[in-house]
Short mmCIF file of all heavy atoms in Angstrom, two decimals:
data_model
loop_
_atom_site.label_atom_id
_atom_site.label_comp_id
_atom_site.label_asym_id
_atom_site.label_seq_id
_atom_site.Cartn_x
_atom_site.Cartn_y
_atom_site.Cartn_z
N CYS A 33 198.42 -106.54 -88.14
CA CYS A 33 199.30 -107.10 -89.17
C CYS A 33 198.56 -108.16 -89.99
O CYS A 33 198.72 -108.23 -91.21
CB CYS A 33 200.55 -107.70 -88.54
SG CYS A 33 201.72 -106.46 -87.95
N ALA A 34 197.74 -108.98 -89.33
CA ALA A 34 196.96 -109.99 -90.03
C ALA A 34 196.04 -109.34 -91.05
O ALA A 34 195.95 -109.77 -92.20
CB ALA A 34 196.16 -110.83 -89.04
N GLN A 35 195.35 -108.28 -90.64
CA GLN A 35 194.43 -107.58 -91.52
C GLN A 35 195.19 -106.94 -92.70
O GLN A 35 194.73 -107.00 -93.84
CB GLN A 35 193.65 -106.51 -90.75
CG GLN A 35 192.59 -105.82 -91.57
CD GLN A 35 191.50 -106.76 -92.05
OE1 GLN A 35 191.19 -107.76 -91.39
NE2 GLN A 35 190.94 -106.48 -93.20
N ALA A 36 196.34 -106.37 -92.43
CA ALA A 36 197.13 -105.73 -93.49
C ALA A 36 197.54 -106.77 -94.55
O ALA A 36 197.45 -106.50 -95.75
CB ALA A 36 198.36 -105.05 -92.91
N LEU A 37 197.95 -107.96 -94.11
CA LEU A 37 198.34 -108.98 -95.07
C LEU A 37 197.14 -109.50 -95.85
O LEU A 37 197.24 -109.74 -97.06
CB LEU A 37 199.04 -110.15 -94.36
CG LEU A 37 200.46 -109.88 -93.89
CD1 LEU A 37 201.04 -111.13 -93.25
CD2 LEU A 37 201.35 -109.43 -95.03
N ARG A 38 196.01 -109.66 -95.19
CA ARG A 38 194.80 -110.11 -95.88
C ARG A 38 194.38 -109.11 -96.96
O ARG A 38 194.01 -109.48 -98.07
CB ARG A 38 193.65 -110.31 -94.90
CG ARG A 38 193.81 -111.54 -94.03
CD ARG A 38 192.58 -111.75 -93.16
NE ARG A 38 192.83 -112.74 -92.14
CZ ARG A 38 192.93 -112.49 -90.84
NH1 ARG A 38 192.77 -111.27 -90.38
NH2 ARG A 38 193.16 -113.46 -89.99
N GLU A 39 194.43 -107.82 -96.61
CA GLU A 39 194.06 -106.79 -97.58
C GLU A 39 195.03 -106.75 -98.76
O GLU A 39 194.61 -106.61 -99.91
CB GLU A 39 194.01 -105.42 -96.89
CG GLU A 39 192.83 -105.29 -95.96
CD GLU A 39 192.85 -103.99 -95.16
OE1 GLU A 39 193.77 -103.17 -95.35
OE2 GLU A 39 191.94 -103.81 -94.34
N ALA A 40 196.31 -106.89 -98.49
CA ALA A 40 197.30 -106.90 -99.56
C ALA A 40 197.10 -108.11 -100.47
O ALA A 40 197.18 -107.99 -101.70
CB ALA A 40 198.72 -106.90 -98.98
N ASP A 41 196.79 -109.26 -99.89
CA ASP A 41 196.57 -110.47 -100.67
C ASP A 41 195.32 -110.33 -101.53
O ASP A 41 195.32 -110.69 -102.70
CB ASP A 41 196.44 -111.68 -99.73
CG ASP A 41 196.35 -112.99 -100.49
OD1 ASP A 41 197.17 -113.20 -101.42
OD2 ASP A 41 195.47 -113.80 -100.16
N ALA A 42 194.24 -109.78 -100.96
CA ALA A 42 193.00 -109.57 -101.71
C ALA A 42 193.21 -108.59 -102.85
O ALA A 42 192.71 -108.80 -103.96
CB ALA A 42 191.90 -109.08 -100.77
N SER A 43 193.97 -107.54 -102.60
CA SER A 43 194.25 -106.54 -103.63
C SER A 43 195.05 -107.14 -104.77
O SER A 43 194.77 -106.90 -105.95
CB SER A 43 195.01 -105.38 -103.01
OG SER A 43 195.37 -104.44 -103.99
N GLN A 44 196.02 -107.95 -104.44
CA GLN A 44 196.85 -108.60 -105.46
C GLN A 44 196.03 -109.60 -106.26
O GLN A 44 196.17 -109.69 -107.47
CB GLN A 44 198.04 -109.29 -104.80
CG GLN A 44 199.00 -109.89 -105.80
CD GLN A 44 200.22 -110.49 -105.16
OE1 GLN A 44 200.29 -110.63 -103.94
NE2 GLN A 44 201.19 -110.85 -105.95
N ALA A 45 195.14 -110.33 -105.60
CA ALA A 45 194.30 -111.32 -106.29
C ALA A 45 193.37 -110.62 -107.27
O ALA A 45 193.15 -111.11 -108.39
CB ALA A 45 193.50 -112.13 -105.27
N GLN A 46 192.82 -109.47 -106.91
CA GLN A 46 191.95 -108.73 -107.81
C GLN A 46 192.72 -108.21 -109.01
O GLN A 46 192.24 -108.24 -110.13
CB GLN A 46 191.30 -107.53 -107.07
CG GLN A 46 190.20 -107.95 -106.13
CD GLN A 46 189.59 -106.74 -105.43
OE1 GLN A 46 190.17 -105.66 -105.40
NE2 GLN A 46 188.45 -106.95 -104.83
N GLY A 47 193.93 -107.74 -108.78
CA GLY A 47 194.74 -107.19 -109.86
C GLY A 47 195.17 -108.23 -110.87
O GLY A 47 195.28 -107.96 -112.06
N SER A 48 195.39 -109.47 -110.44
CA SER A 48 195.86 -110.50 -111.36
C SER A 48 194.71 -111.12 -112.14
O SER A 48 194.94 -111.81 -113.12
CB SER A 48 196.63 -111.59 -110.60
OG SER A 48 195.74 -112.28 -109.71
#
Side-chain angles (χ1 to χ4, degrees):
C33 286
Q35 185 63 30
L37 286 182
R38 287 185 192 111
E39 289 174 2
D41 186 47
S43 176
Q44 184 176 10
Q46 285 180 344
S48 65

